[in-house]
Amino acid sequence: MEILVFLFSFSALGVLYAMNTIPELQEPYVILEIGVAVLVVVFLFYFIITRGNPPKDILFFVFAEFSFTCVIDLISALEHDGIVSGFMEFYQKTGEPYLGTSYGIMMCYWDGIAHFIMYLMMISRITDRRAYRTLGLFWAGSLCANMSVFITGIAAGKYGTEIRPAFWLNFLFLLMPVLGAVTLFTRPKDRPLIGGYNAQHIQSMKLIWRPLDLILVVLLLAAMSFTVLRGLVALDSPLEACAVYLNQYEPYLKDPVGYPKVMMLLIFFYGLPLLGAFVYGLLKPGCTWMSDWTTFFAGAMIQCQWAHIGGSLHSRTAAPFRIPNDVFWTVLAANLLYAATPVLVAMRVQNNPYFFLKISPFPGQTGLPNSEEKDTKYKDK
């Protein structure tokens, strides 16, 4: 099935080419109508071909539908960068002109490559009746962050006066990952929530005897400080440290397109509490929520930092807003480490979850029935 989805998604090239060569199809409201019609046709296509063996997971249709749009985003980015031509010229003028910003281009590359790969992997797992909850949460975090910054940045930035009808389609791409996240968060976890002997042993260790967790706590605290600094910069704080950072390190934060400022504010108000919660989760044993939320947040942060770093380096960003040459490697390293920290935390939780499990009373201590005793031993293994 994933091969069929892969091949069918590239039929988007034919739709784009036709629209680019027929002037009557390039009117703003016509673009919106065609966009809605294409989404309906794609859904019906997958609904019909799976009638004989319908997928048990409704998110299959979301992933298949969005795979189609990933190709459109990839072509948009490639055309704005001059790598291909003849597909998206009309859309740059009468569709969504803000996709030609440095942030928009990097966002489209992420959607056209990273999200496309995720969709194919999740479709493959759904088809084979295998679990994909962890990957799904990573995708949901990534796309939620993507669309939150994108939609808010359009309205709050300099393109707020150039909103065309096609803009409203973006709310579908914000709603679906939110619903997907709610669905995935409420599903049973892929792994057990209860641990036994190994979990008790690890949870009895102080932080000083867990060097990896100690390093991650330090990185999280540093990430929190970095988040506060850039959040205050985005809020136009009069503090001298904020002015120095804005003018001498990351002038991209004052780019009038609005995306950098919106991103910093979203991370400041929503990401900062999560970073603090992760520190607590590494100190307090038995926080079973860590596996889900670290994965979701890792997806959000890696997408945000990809678009932010790429946007600040892209040739379409005006020279005054790019990273100054004398601090280039310092700022780049700080941003890369900032992006990697949530991913490292999520990997640590997924690879060695014992510290984050609830402790199960050992057999013989509470008089558990034999079946529950076997269950506990099995889960501990």
Side-chain angles (χ1 to χ4, degrees), residues 327-372:
V327 295
F328 178 85
W329 292 110
T330 301
V331 174
L332 182 61
N335 275 280
L336 290 174
L337 185 59
Y338 187 60
T341 297
V343 177
L344 293 174
V345 174
M347 291 174 61
R348 182 264 178 270
V349 175
Q350 293 294 331
N351 292 335
N352 189 3
Y354 288 115
F355 186 79
F356 311 99
L357 302 179
K358 295 293 185 183
I359 297 295
S360 172
F362 297 125
Q365 291 182 334
T366 60
L368 294 174
N370 289 337
S371 60
E372 291 186 26

Side-chain angles (χ1 to χ4, degrees), residues 10-306:
F10 280 89
S11 66
L13 297 176
V15 176
L16 293 174
Y17 182 79
M19 294 182 69
N20 200 56
T21 54
I22 303 175
E24 292 77 11
L25 302 181
Q26 299 173 10
E27 296 297 323
Y29 281 100
V30 175
I31 292 174
L32 174 61
E33 293 166 0
I34 292 176
V36 173
V38 167
L39 292 176
V40 172
V41 169
V42 173
F43 172 79
L44 291 175
F45 172 79
Y46 287 113
F47 179 78
I48 292 171
I49 66 171
T50 58
R51 287 187 65 185
N53 185 23
K56 295 183 178 180
D57 194 329
I58 192 64
L59 288 178
F60 167 87
F61 295 104
V62 175
F63 301 149
E65 187 94 52
F66 282 13
S67 296
F68 189 89
T69 61
C70 282
V71 175
I72 296 175
D73 281 347
L74 180 59
I75 295 302
S76 174
L78 292 172
E79 186 144 336
H80 278 109
D81 275 344
I83 299 173
V84 300
S85 62
F87 293 98
M88 297 288 289
E89 293 175 6
F90 75 97
Y91 205 72
Q92 297 171 9
K93 300 174 183 177
T94 58
E96 297 187 89
Y98 33 79
L99 288 177
T101 62
S102 58
Y103 177 89
I105 292 171
M106 298 310 297
M107 181 200 75
C108 286
Y109 275 127
W110 182 264
D111 193 50
I113 299 174
H115 285 160
F116 190 49
I117 293 173
M118 292 182 209
Y119 292 138
L120 294 179
M121 292 175 64
M122 290 187 289
I123 288 170
S124 175
R125 287 182 170 271
I126 291 173
T127 304
D128 296 338
R129 303 291 194 269
R130 291 185 293 160
Y132 69 94
R133 189 172 181 275
T134 299
L135 179 59
L137 287 172
F138 186 88
W139 159 78
S142 174
L143 192 54
C144 282
N146 184 340
M147 298 312 301
S148 297
V149 174
F150 184 59
I151 292 174
T152 310
I154 294 169
K158 72 175 187 179
Y159 285 95
T161 58
E162 297 187 41
I163 292 177
R164 315 286 170 78
F167 166 79
W168 302 105
L169 284 174
N170 290 304
F171 285 91
L172 174 66
F173 297 93
L174 175 61
L175 177 63
M176 287 297 103
V178 171
L179 294 178
V182 172
T183 301
L184 293 167
F185 270 116
T186 55
R187 286 183 184 177
K189 292 179 181 288
D190 297 337
R191 295 182 178 184
L193 295 175
I194 300 176
Y197 296 103
N198 290 338
Q200 185 185 54
H201 172 68
I202 292 176
Q203 292 184 17
S204 66
M205 299 172 65
K206 300 291 185 182
L207 180 64
I208 191 67
W209 302 115
R210 293 181 282 124
L212 176 58
D213 290 353
L214 179 59
I215 293 173
L216 290 176
V217 167
V218 172
L219 289 176
L220 285 170
L221 293 174
M224 292 174 68
S225 301
F226 198 43
T227 300
V228 170
L229 173 62
R230 299 206 296 186
L232 291 176
V233 169
L235 289 170
D236 296 323
S237 170
L239 293 175
E240 183 179 354
C242 295
V244 170
Y245 186 80
L246 179 62
N247 295 318
Q248 299 182 18
Y249 290 89
E250 280 202 87
Y252 181 57
L253 296 180
K254 60 182 177 182
D255 192 322
V257 296
Y259 298 119
K261 178 177 287 190
V262 167
M263 183 185 297
M264 296 308 116
L265 290 176
L266 286 174
I267 296 175
F268 180 68
F269 288 114
Y270 299 103
L272 183 61
L274 281 175
L275 290 169
F278 297 157
V279 173
Y280 175 83
L282 289 170
L283 297 175
K284 179 72 173 179
C287 295
T288 57
W289 48 266
M290 280 284 283
S291 61
D292 287 351
W293 281 102
T294 54
T295 301
F296 180 85
F297 189 67
M301 284 297 291
I302 198 70
Q303 191 284 327
C304 284
Q305 284 298 105
W306 161 270

